[in-house]
């Protein structure tokens, strides 16, 4: 088996890092043009090398070596190393391609922003962090990349640091991810403690032995299996990064950052890290049905209930954000059904069409002079033809239209759930099928309100939510316009894979040898993928067969319902809003998750902190221990002072009393 070049692989993450350093530290010296040229070149080099690596991997080349040994603690080695197989090569190409599109797009979107160079530096650093994460061959490097994308997302969500909502959003993202990362590092710690290694290959080799270990259940009953606890801890990390219920709350708020970063965070990088990680850990997860059922339940809740929230959103970016949450739920339930290859297949197709939808939304925002309320739009089709057609293609891919990329991955998830024998699979299947209608409804609600119907932008019935660029010197009654070429070219380039990539790659990814080294499935215990392979007769046959299946007609039903509700009879949704007012209130408050977090968890944490400070620190430590001991010494001193008079006869008397007492004691003792 041929080997890949270490120096080539090193250049992939280091090229974006070099661009980030030039734009970040020397941005003023090289200017705006120098900053975007340096970062775009860095990501372009990374993309070209990633594609070359992918071609070599298809030819059978692999790489799994240590690049740098950082330190050794006993038998535990801490290293920087790369593992490049089918999964890594695919992720490298997806990350670098989407990142390149976002970089080019940013030239147009951030044209007037004073933080131009800083933004390019951050998104290039983001790309470097994600590449380090997906290329790692050990848990230490994985954790470095994991935390690095979290840090850079914090910087990017709060990019407009004078905007209170942005400051709140980036803090929220940071804190919620810390909760998930606590679970993640516990999982890594358990592997390091019991397997005695941080290297993937070595840990996986010990998986069967590891699976036999257990410990007493603190609540009584059956003992807990160590593998189950480890997998659930690792998945809690994924719940934070990949925004699964109840750690999903940060993702919609991350829309406070500029649109390009919304596309980068949501499409190809940070939120997919959890999906990638669970897929990479498939040899461990396969050994615990309990962990897989847990994943199925969490994914089901996220896929369906976050989709519901997309229905009531009026901010164009937030509709797409809730769509991301729902689609991440779909990827998660695929993981739970042991269909890891289907999960990463959906990850890949979703990366293209979701980046397309986000950048399309950004193009609309530019055309609308930074008004984000979809109720103020309408009829944009004739003013923004390229944005319109690319957004339509992205929406069709999202709802799972036959022959489009999203169809192949979403339908494969539903089929895998139908074939799964896990206890939670029927629940997940119900959520996934219902989610098809919901997805189609909210996607085309947005599409129709933005591109069709009456033109509302002349009078703006809802002068509401605006982007950071409110004051751009334009008046309010202006006609929308198509975005510049640096915005439309990435849209056109993303539209191509959004349409065709599913058709071209389903067979090698799901049923071929492409992911055989990366994904391990115990077919005897989890037969879903084996059954899918039996019933697969080619991409074209799958699309034609779908014409008689329930998911397709639910998707059509969702589109038709959206058209009737928002184009033909707008009084109907208004009627439902009044009739279902309590339900709408519940959804507008996002199931009160933010309220619970703020008033129970955050307030509880503050109360605990205040208690530890007031009682523990001030009263016990400062009051009782420090000041109390000082007061005790003073009190003893005041008593002793009464005895220390300075008169000899007093001391003589004490001596006599002492002698008398001793003699009495001895006499009493020996009586």
């Amino acid at each position: 088996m041929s080997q890949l070049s270490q120096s080539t692989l090193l250049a992939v993450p280091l090229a974006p890092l070099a661009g980030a350093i030039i734009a970040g530290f020397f941005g003023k010296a090289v200017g705006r043009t120098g900053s975007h040229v340096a970062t775009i070149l860095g990501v372009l080099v990374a993309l070209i090398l990633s594609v070359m690596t992918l071609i070599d991997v298809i030819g059978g080349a692999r790489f799994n070596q240590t690049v740098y040994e950082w330190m050794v603690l006993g038998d535990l080695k801490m290293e920087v190393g790369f593992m490049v197989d089918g999964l890594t090569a695919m992720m490298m190409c997806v990350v670098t391609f989407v990142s390149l599109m976002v970089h080019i797009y940013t030239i147009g979107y951030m044209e007037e922003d004073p933080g131009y160079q800083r933004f390019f530096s951050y998104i290039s650093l983001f790309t470097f962090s994600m590449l380090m994460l997906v290329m790692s061959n050990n848990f230490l490097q994985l954790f470095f990349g994991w935390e690095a994308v979290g840090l850079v997302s914090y910087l990017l969500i709060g990019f407009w640091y004078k905007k209170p909502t942005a400051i709140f959003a980036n803090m929220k993202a940071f804190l919620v991810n810390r909760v998930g990362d606590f679970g993640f590092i516990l999982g890594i710690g358990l592997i390091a403690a019991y397997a005695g290694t941080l290297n993937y290959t070595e840990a996986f080799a010990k998986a069967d032995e590891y699976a036999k270990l257990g410990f007493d259940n603190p609540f009584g009953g059956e003992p807990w299996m160590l593998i189950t606890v480890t997998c659930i801890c690792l998945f809690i990390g994924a719940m934070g990064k990949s925004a699964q219920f109840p750690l999903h709350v940060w993702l919609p708020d991350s829309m406070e950052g500029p649109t390009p970063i919304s596309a980068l965070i949501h499409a190809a990088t940070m939120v997919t890290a959890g999906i990638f990680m669970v897929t990479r850990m498939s040899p461990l997860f396969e050994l615990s049905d309990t962990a897989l059922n847990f994943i199925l339940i969490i994914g089901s809740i996220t896929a369906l209930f976050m989709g519901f929230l997309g229905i009531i959103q009026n901010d164009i970016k937030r509709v797409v954000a809730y769509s991301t949450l729902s689609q991440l739920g779909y990827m998660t339930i695929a993981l739970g059904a042991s269909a890891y290859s289907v999960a990463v297949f959906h990850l890949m197709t979703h990366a293209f069409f979701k980046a397309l939808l986000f950048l399309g939304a950004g193009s609309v925002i530019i055309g609308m002079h930074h008004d984000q309320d979809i109720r103020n739009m309408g009829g944009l089709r004739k003013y923004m033809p390229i944005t319109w057609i690319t957004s339509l293609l992205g929406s069709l891919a999202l709802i799972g239209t036959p022959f489009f990329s999203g169809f192949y991955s979403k339908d494969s998830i539903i089929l895998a759930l139908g074939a799964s024998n896990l206890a939670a699979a029927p629940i997940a299947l119900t959520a996934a099928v219902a989610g098809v209608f919901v997805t189609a409804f909210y996607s085309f609600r947005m599409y129709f309100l933005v591109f069709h119907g009456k033109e509302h932008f002349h009078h703006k019935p809802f002068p509401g939510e605006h982007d950071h660029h409110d004051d751009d010197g334009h008046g309010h009654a202006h006609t929308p316009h198509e975005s510049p070429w640096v915005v439309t070219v990435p849209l056109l380039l993303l539209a191509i894979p959004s349409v065709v990539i599913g058709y071209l790659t389903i067979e090698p990814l799901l049923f071929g040898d492409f992911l055989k080294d990366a994904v391990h499935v115990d077919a005897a215990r989890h037969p879903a993928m084996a059954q899918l392979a039996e019933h697969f007769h080619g991409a074209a046959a799958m699309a034609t067969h779908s014409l008689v299946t329930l998911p397709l007609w639910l998707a059509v039903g969702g589109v038709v319902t959206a058209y009737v509700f928002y184009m033909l009879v707008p009084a109907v949704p208004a009627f439902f809003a009044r009739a279902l007012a309590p339900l709408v209130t519940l959804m507008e408050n996002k199931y009160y998750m933010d309220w619970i977090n703020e008033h129970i968890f955050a307030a509880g944490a503050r109360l605990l902190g205040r208690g530890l400070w007031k009682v523990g620190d001030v009263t016990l430590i400062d009051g009782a221990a420090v000041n109390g001991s000082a007061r005790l010494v003073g009190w003893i001193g005041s008593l002793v002072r009464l005895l220390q008079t300075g008169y000899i006869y007093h001391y003589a008397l004490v001596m006599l009393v002492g002698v008398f007492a001793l003699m009495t004691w001895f006499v009493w003792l020996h009586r």
Side-chain angles (χ1 to χ4, degrees), residues 102 106 145 320 340 440 445 468:
V102 168
T106 301
V320 187
Y340 305 98
R445 170 183 176 263
H468 179 73

Side-chain angles (χ1 to χ4, degrees), residues 311-641:
I311 296 171
I312 61 153
Q313 301 301 317
N314 295 313
D315 183 315
I316 188 167
K317 282 169 66 178
R318 285 184 184 265
V319 178
V320 187
Y322 279 106
S323 160
T324 302
L325 277 172
S326 180
Q327 296 307 306
L328 285 165
Y330 274 93
M331 296 175 210
T332 303
I333 50 182
L335 295 172
S338 291
Y340 305 98
S341 51
V342 179
V344 293
F345 180 42
H346 194 52
L347 183 161
M348 177 192 67
T349 59
H350 173 264
F352 295 118
F353 64 71
K354 189 51 56 73
L356 174 61
L357 284 169
F358 262 116
L359 298 187
S363 178
V364 168
I365 293 168
I366 295 171
M368 287 293 297
H369 301 278
H370 299 280
D371 187 350
Q372 295 180 201
D373 197 318
I374 58 177
R375 296 168 298 180
N376 293 336
M377 299 176 189
L380 295 187
R381 180 172 56 126
K382 66 181 181 186
Y383 302 101
M384 307 179 74
I386 298 172
T387 305
W388 162 66
I389 194 70
T390 51
S391 298
L392 176 61
L393 292 172
S395 301
L396 289 170
L398 170 62
I399 69 167
T401 310
F403 294 102
F404 283 69
S405 61
F407 158 76
Y408 290 103
S409 52
K410 189 179 276 189
D411 265 41
S412 298
I413 292 170
I414 292 169
L415 291 168
L417 288 167
S420 176
N421 56 4
L422 290 172
I427 300 167
L429 181 60
T430 307
V433 172
V436 172
F437 176 86
V438 175
T439 303
F441 181 75
Y442 68 67
S443 303
F444 274 83
R445 170 183 176 263
M446 179 179 80
Y447 168 77
F448 289 133
L449 286 175
V450 172
F451 294 106
H452 295 270
K454 255 190 241 175
E455 297 176 359
H456 295 295
F457 47 80
H458 299 297
H459 57 280
K460 294 199 177 181
F462 298 91
E465 303 174 40
H466 296 276
D467 208 333
H468 179 73
H469 302 77
D470 282 344
D471 303 317
D472 59 356
H474 301 275
H476 283 286
H478 27 226
T479 303
H481 54 83
E482 187 58 273
S483 302
W485 71 268
V486 285
V487 171
T488 53
V489 166
L491 291 178
L492 292 165
L493 290 174
L494 281 164
I496 297 164
S498 298
V499 177
V500 302
I501 198 81
Y503 184 89
L504 298 174
T505 59
I506 181 169
E507 196 158 348
L509 272 175
L510 301 195
F511 311 110
D513 293 338
F514 186 71
L515 293 174
K516 67 173 182 181
D517 299 334
V519 174
H520 297 268
V521 179
D522 184 346
R525 290 174 63 185
H526 306 125
M529 286 308 296
Q531 288 192 30
L532 251 65
E534 283 175 26
H535 294 103
F536 181 76
H537 304 294
M542 185 175 172
T544 49
H545 173 68
S546 74
L547 299 173
V548 294
T549 58
L550 181 61
L552 177 73
W553 291 105
L554 283 172
V556 171
V559 174
V560 171
T561 307
Y563 183 76
V564 171
F565 277 23
Y566 294 97
M567 292 291 101
L568 300 180
V569 197
V572 175
F575 165 76
F576 278 117
R578 288 192 302 275
L580 304 171
L583 190 60
V584 172
T585 305
L586 177 70
M587 290 164 70
E588 281 176 344
N589 287 284
K590 298 177 265 188
Y591 307 122
Y592 291 96
M593 289 301 299
D594 283 340
W595 187 91
I596 291 166
N597 286 333
E598 280 180 42
H599 292 87
I600 296 175
F601 293 114
R606 285 198 301 274
L607 190 66
L608 178 65
R610 198 173 291 113
L612 290 171
W613 163 42
K614 292 282 190 187
V615 178
D617 192 22
V618 175
T619 307
L620 295 177
I621 296 171
D622 285 351
V626 178
N627 297 335
S629 59
R631 279 196 291 270
L632 181 65
V633 169
W635 180 72
I636 293 168
S638 67
L639 292 179
V640 171
R641 194 159 56 243

Side-chain angles (χ1 to χ4, degrees), residues 142-190:
L142 174 75
F143 191 71
F144 163 78
W146 194 267
E147 293 302 315
V149 289
L151 168 67
V152 186
S153 72
Y154 169 83
L155 296 172
L156 282 160
I157 294 165
F159 181 77
W160 291 315
Y161 53 84
K162 292 181 181 175
K163 192 177 172 191
T165 50
I167 299 163
F168 182 79
N170 74 350
M171 189 57 74
K172 188 174 177 181
F174 192 78
L175 291 174
V176 171
N177 270 284
R178 293 296 67 71
V179 175
D181 293 353
F182 180 66
F184 188 52
I185 202 164
L186 280 179
I188 293 173
L190 286 169

